[in-house]
Amino acid sequence: MKLSARLSALAGASALVVGALAGAAPASAAPTGATAAPDIPLANVKQHLADLQSIATANGGNRAHGRTGYKASIDFVKAKLDAAGYTTTLQTFTSSGATGYNLIADWPGGDPNQVLMAGSHLDSVTSGAGINDNGSGSAAVLETALAVSRAGYQPSKHLRFAWWGAEELGLIGSKYYVNNLASTERAKVKGYLNFDMIGSPNPGYFVYDDDPTIEQTFKTYYAGLGVPTEIETEGDGRSDHAPFKNAGIPVGGLFSGADYVKTSAQAQKWGGTAGQSFDRCYHSSCDTTANINDTALDRNSDAVAYAIWALSGTTTTPPAGTVFENTADVSVPDNGAAVTSSVTVSGVTGNAPSNLAVGVDIIHTWRGDLVVDLIAPDGSVYNLHNRTGSSADNIQQTYTVNASSEVANGVWKLRVQDKASGDTGYINSFKLTFP
Ligand code: DTR
Ligand code: CA
Ligand code: ZN
Ligand code: ZN
């Protein structure tokens, strides 16, 4: 029996498509009617970090501006992007008597007058390998760019990715890029997403509060995970989004924290250790591959893809479709047996589509108790929700399921089981939409 399939979820009336991976909790998003953003494999991101660590180790222990480790890092990233079909440009500049490098990677296609950028600084401080600061951002942006290539993604906007030099010396590389961008070219950049420290060992989940649309994009992503976020308040000038913002370009980004200390309230909502900084190895020699929180890195890497797909995609309207719905309430026994709501699909020829819209409306406190599955007529199981979301209430969203291997006609079921005691609820409705 086929287990779980790739899913993505349409989030309600806004009809944003939220992409999720089968099994683990999920989410990344793309706009209405566009393909769903892929999961960014944590293993791939961590491999990039291991490679950057090796580069630092082979080059005096760091990847700092003006040192051999930085140029080796740039060459490493460039080679992967060249192999993936990007048009790459090495931009050189001089700072503190040494040559610096920015790497710009353009994904062919899209409207050249509508450019969406994502970037991260690739340089470390001289005292260490700079794996969280900022191998984490650099690796996540790299893997997202590679995912764009793997998907052959062709959004309406033109995608441009960047890895900055000499951020640690004062945002030198990103300033150089923006200052040397002709005003006509600058006007084409509709957004810049910055990722600097996104895998901190004692992580927080901070969203830049600059451009509201970009901010909301990230907040929607994290809401889909049931992970609370806070606004990044350490100051605008602290990373490479600053030159873009100063040039009037909409900016946003994510941050998992540096040398500030996690409060008990933050530890309450995010886990980790109160009274300890988010990254005890900030700008230190211990900023190695051991200085990463995998959950934060995974979530934030997926968030990079989510935002790229959500902010660059097509504007097609969602497909109209044939709807089969069951609105009968079905009580879900507390910590008890699974219950189902069924719809009988008929009159649909052939197989179900790869974008079957599964509307789930479950009223239930503490949705982290719930396991929710779509059961196809032949018994195949597609997991939609697997105990994520902790204390947040209700599951009211639409998942897009690749059900193309299933015969459309027959009895489809929504199966819900409450796997923990103390919270109760019911299935309010279950809907299938065949586009
Ligand atoms: N300046 C960054 C680290 C940093 C500190 N606060 C923030 C806020 C938002 C992004 C990054 C940072 C560095 O040391 O690279
Ligand atoms: Ca992932
Ligand atoms: Zn730093
Ligand atoms: Zn940094």
Side-chain angles (χ1 to χ4, degrees):
M1 179 189 299
K2 288 181 292 301
L3 287 182
S4 355
R6 258 189 190 286
L7 310 173
S8 55
L10 271 176
S14 64
L16 269 184
V17 174
V18 175
L21 257 200
S28 32
T32 309
T35 53
D39 171 72
I40 299 301
L42 174 64
N44 293 6
V45 180
K46 288 180 68 84
Q47 184 57 55
H48 300 324
L49 294 183
D51 293 337
L52 291 173
Q53 177 71 63
S54 301
I55 288 170
T57 304
N59 289 274
N62 71 69
R63 299 181 307 98
H65 165 74
R67 307 295 180 85
T68 54
Y70 180 74
K71 183 62 166 59
S73 301
I74 274 279
D75 291 344
F76 162 76
V77 175
K78 184 179 188 297
K80 288 194 176 291
L81 293 162
D82 289 338
Y86 281 82
T87 304
T88 59
T89 306
L90 267 186
Q91 181 183 50
T92 61
F93 58 87
T94 301
S95 181
S96 305
T99 302
Y101 303 87
N102 291 328
L103 174 63
I104 311 299
D106 284 281
W107 179 240
D111 181 350
N113 297 309
Q114 303 271 329
V115 179
L116 176 65
M117 288 191 70
S120 58
H121 76 86
L122 186 58
D123 63 309
S124 75
V125 292
T126 55
S127 53
I131 297 305
N132 185 37
D133 182 21
N134 183 39
S136 62
S138 296
V141 173
L142 171 59
E143 189 58 26
T144 297
L146 297 178
V148 164
S149 173
R150 288 194 295 266
Y153 183 46
Q154 283 301 328
S156 53
K157 290 192 176 70
H158 175 78
L159 299 180
R160 180 175 299 153
F161 299 91
W163 290 261
W164 307 117
E167 185 272 349
E168 301 288 6
L169 280 74
L171 320 181
I172 307 299
S174 54
K175 283 178 182 173
Y176 184 86
Y177 176 80
V178 173
N179 293 340
N180 286 274
L181 203 56
S183 57
T184 50
E185 291 305 307
R186 204 181 294 177
K188 297 174 184 176
V189 180
K190 304 308 178 187
Y192 172 73
L193 312 179
N194 192 62
F195 304 98
D196 182 357
M197 299 182 72
I198 62 170
S200 303
N202 186 25
Y205 293 90
F206 299 98
V207 177
Y208 296 10
D209 65 336
D210 298 289
D211 176 74
T213 300
I214 299 173
E215 177 185 350
Q216 188 55 52
T217 298
F218 287 120
K219 283 179 170 177
T220 302
Y221 165 76
Y222 269 103
L225 286 181
V227 174
T229 57
E230 289 186 9
I231 293 305
E232 190 284 305
T233 57
E234 287 196 25
D236 281 349
R238 296 287 308 258
S239 193
D240 294 303
H241 57 302
F244 289 85
K245 184 173 184 179
N246 295 339
I249 294 169
V251 302
L254 298 172
F255 178 54
S256 54
D259 48 350
Y260 284 25
V261 170
K262 182 180 278 187
T263 66
S264 51
Q266 289 171 329
Q268 190 70 31
K269 65 177 153 184
W270 288 328
T273 309
Q276 208 175 81
S277 61
F278 296 100
D279 182 351
R280 281 182 297 175
C281 291
Y282 176 60
H283 286 185
S284 306
S285 59
C286 56
D287 188 5
T288 66
T289 47
N291 189 48
I292 290 289
N293 177 284
D294 285 359
T295 302
L297 183 63
D298 190 18
R299 287 170 170 171
N300 284 327
S301 298
D302 290 338
V304 179
Y306 172 103
I308 288 294
W309 260 256
L311 294 168
S312 66
T314 55
T315 54
T316 53
T317 52
T322 308
V323 177
F324 300 85
E325 187 172 21
N326 185 341
T327 58
D329 292 357
V330 180
S331 178
V332 180
D334 185 26
N335 195 14
V339 294
T340 62
S341 173
S342 304
V343 294
T344 300
V345 173
S346 61
V348 179
T349 53
N351 281 15
S354 60
N355 58 345
L356 176 65
V358 183
V360 175
D361 183 349
I362 300 169
I363 306 300
H364 194 291
T365 52
W366 202 285
R367 66 179 175 217
D369 286 4
L370 300 178
V371 176
V372 183
D373 297 308
L374 174 70
I375 316 290
D378 72 353
S380 303
V381 179
Y382 295 79
N383 179 250
L384 303 177
H385 179 91
N386 189 7
R387 308 281 319 259
T388 55
S390 66
S391 62
D393 298 336
N394 309 329
I395 299 175
Q396 295 173 303
Q397 67 182 75
T398 301
Y399 300 82
T400 303
V401 173
N402 181 354
S404 55
S405 61
E406 306 295 343
V407 173
N409 293 331
V411 179
W412 293 75
K413 295 177 181 171
L414 184 75
R415 181 175 67 193
V416 181
Q417 186 170 14
D418 178 343
K419 308 273 280 188
S421 58
D423 287 89
T424 57
Y426 62 95
I427 303 171
N428 191 33
S429 70
F430 163 43
K431 178 164 75 173
L432 294 180
T433 303
F434 290 73

